[in-house]
Amino acid sequence: LRAAGLGRESKRGGTNDFFRARILFPIFDPQGDPIGFGGRQLPGGRPPKYQNTPETALYRKSKVLYGAFFAKRAIRKEDECILVEGYTDVLSLHQAGIENVAASSGTSLTVEQIRLVKRYTENIKILYDGDLAGIKAALRGMGMVLEQGLNVKIVLLPEGEDPDSYLQKVGVEAFR
């Protein structure tokens, strides 16, 4: 439990909750087994904004896409994977019926994550946040996707928008 970040020894000898004052998002491997957690800071909580399970024998952040287990059927059916940056983007899109979506969960897109997508489709659509950091990450990811021989499209959102906020603003049909 300590290795997975669910508890840490405190200075007083007890155990502290590593994810205190955070919303927890369970992270599953491609077979559907829980292997870690992502935590988002609640209002008034301590930084950092996002905190993941530390690397363990089961959880390697660079090899996992958040939501991929739940999205793989839709990715195959749509013959496309929409890559977003965060947990809430995945959840919001899934709730709206856009289920072929997964997230790199706060890490730069990796070759291992691209290869995971390649199991299900040759087509990737990168839909990162509409800020400078999101655009730079999308362009960097595009090069990596092309190096792996997959087809890639980048969708640019308006400045200050992320997939979740933009979906809420324009609705499902306009978003599609």
Side-chain angles (χ1 to χ4, degrees):
L1 290 174
R2 286 186 183 138
L6 296 178
R8 281 195 172 163
E9 289 186 38
S10 73
K11 294 176 183 172
R12 298 181 197 144
T15 301
N16 284 337
D17 181 2
F18 181 69
F19 290 110
R20 181 180 309 145
R22 296 179 184 280
I23 297 172
L24 285 183
F25 299 90
I27 300 170
F28 298 88
D29 68 14
Q31 292 74 40
D33 296 319
I35 56 171
F37 298 92
R40 188 187 189 291
Q41 174 188 34
L42 290 170
R46 292 180 308 193
K49 185 176 179 180
Y50 291 99
Q51 191 162 328
N52 291 321
T53 293
E55 298 274 319
T56 67
L58 294 176
Y59 176 67
R60 299 267 187 254
K61 182 167 57 170
S62 64
K63 296 183 179 187
V64 176
L65 286 170
Y66 179 77
F69 171 72
F70 298 101
K72 64 185 177 184
R73 183 175 291 138
I75 291 169
R76 285 182 178 126
K77 181 181 175 194
E78 300 290 329
D79 194 24
E80 178 180 73
C81 177
I82 300 170
L83 286 179
V84 296
E85 292 180 89
Y87 311 114
T88 56
D89 296 325
V90 170
L91 294 173
S92 180
L93 271 62
H94 272 256
Q95 288 175 337
I98 303 168
E99 298 177 350
N100 58 323
V101 60
S104 52
S105 306
T107 184
S108 295
L109 188 61
T110 67
V111 171
E112 291 91 349
Q113 291 169 331
I114 295 167
R115 289 181 182 152
L116 178 62
V117 171
K118 194 173 183 175
R119 293 181 189 178
Y120 313 121
T121 185
E122 300 269 322
N123 303 300
I124 294 179
K125 186 179 286 175
I126 300 175
L127 180 61
Y128 286 175
D129 295 358
D131 56 13
L132 186 58
I135 293 167
K136 285 182 177 180
L139 292 172
R140 189 172 47 251
M142 178 182 69
M144 295 174 67
V145 171
L146 290 171
E147 286 174 4
Q148 294 302 307
L150 280 74
N151 305 310
V152 63
K153 294 178 182 176
I154 295 178
V155 177
L156 297 176
L157 292 174
E159 175 78 31
E161 297 284 356
D162 61 39
D164 174 43
S165 67
Y166 192 66
L167 174 66
Q168 303 310 318
K169 185 177 190 176
V170 302
V172 178
E173 291 312 311
F175 186 91
R176 285 183 191 273

